[in-house]
Amino acid sequence: MFRQAGSGPGGFEDVIDDITESLRRTVTDIVVEHLEDQLVAPSRHMSLADRHMELMEDERDYGVDLLLFHAVQLRYIAIQVHVGRFDLPLITHTRRTAALLDGLIRDPEVHRSTVGILLCTDAPTYAPPGPVAVALYEDLSPDEEAGMPAPHELVTLLEHCFDTTTLKLAVP
């Protein structure tokens, strides 16, 4: 999993990068598991379609951490979890991911367009600390949007995930 410390020009820095990436994947897995537990339910009309789906375009990673399907609206919901600070280009990235999914798995004669959700574990430096949720629901009617997870609900789910994870880790 980790490179040997002397294996490259960076040495120690490469090991730190590997550890940091491993921690990011672990936090992402914890968040995805928690979101799946909370969002996938018959009462919400959402089911699990895929986890950690890899999408590549021109050597860029547009992976989806959690792909849900809304049975009533007949649409996919692509959730991307970013462990780190919110940054505006991440919204463009999430929009592109939804468009790629539309081209890959959506049947336009049956399914409505895919929507994207971006979840960041940290706010930008100019905002109060805490998670950020951006729901890309611009093309939805008010009734359709009401059937989707609201950004404030997603922030609450993230905060709860971090609270319960901290409690689990603190218990010997």
Side-chain angles (χ1 to χ4, degrees):
M1 178 170 150
F2 300 113
R3 295 180 286 244
Q4 290 182 336
S7 66
F12 183 71
E13 290 82 9
D14 290 343
V15 173
I16 295 299
D17 289 346
D18 287 346
I19 292 170
T20 302
E21 185 55 33
S22 178
L23 289 171
R24 284 182 196 271
R25 281 193 307 271
T26 300
V27 171
T28 299
D29 288 345
I30 290 168
V31 169
V32 166
E33 185 176 314
H34 183 75
L35 291 172
E36 182 181 340
D37 289 345
Q38 300 302 311
L39 296 176
V40 175
S43 62
R44 295 190 74 117
H45 308 290
M46 287 188 252
S47 61
L48 175 67
D50 205 348
R51 293 177 82 176
H52 306 296
M53 181 180 187
E54 292 185 22
L55 285 173
M56 298 294 287
E57 180 186 59
D58 299 328
E59 298 184 26
R60 278 198 74 184
D61 179 17
Y62 289 93
V64 177
D65 294 303
L66 187 61
L67 183 63
L68 305 177
F69 186 76
H70 196 290
V72 173
Q73 294 189 22
L74 298 175
R75 77 171 74 244
Y76 290 97
I77 305 164
I79 300 176
Q80 292 184 306
V81 178
H82 175 71
V83 178
R85 293 204 179 277
F86 170 81
D87 192 20
L88 281 176
L90 293 170
I91 295 174
T92 303
H93 189 268
T94 301
R95 275 198 179 93
R96 181 69 189 139
T97 301
L100 286 170
L101 279 168
D102 272 351
L104 182 67
I105 61 174
R106 180 176 83 103
D107 181 347
E109 294 180 18
V110 177
H111 303 122
R112 294 182 180 146
S113 61
T114 301
V115 295
I117 296 174
L118 170 64
L119 302 175
C120 297
T121 57
D122 295 305
T125 54
Y126 55 83
V132 173
V134 178
L136 303 175
Y137 298 157
E138 299 94 349
D139 297 332
L140 302 185
S141 71
D143 286 343
E144 290 172 328
E145 189 172 331
M148 294 288 162
H152 68 274
E153 174 191 11
L154 294 166
V155 166
T156 300
L157 288 174
L158 276 176
E159 290 171 339
H160 184 259
C161 174
F162 297 144
D163 289 345
T164 58
T165 301
T166 302
L167 289 174
K168 287 179 190 173
L169 295 174
V171 175

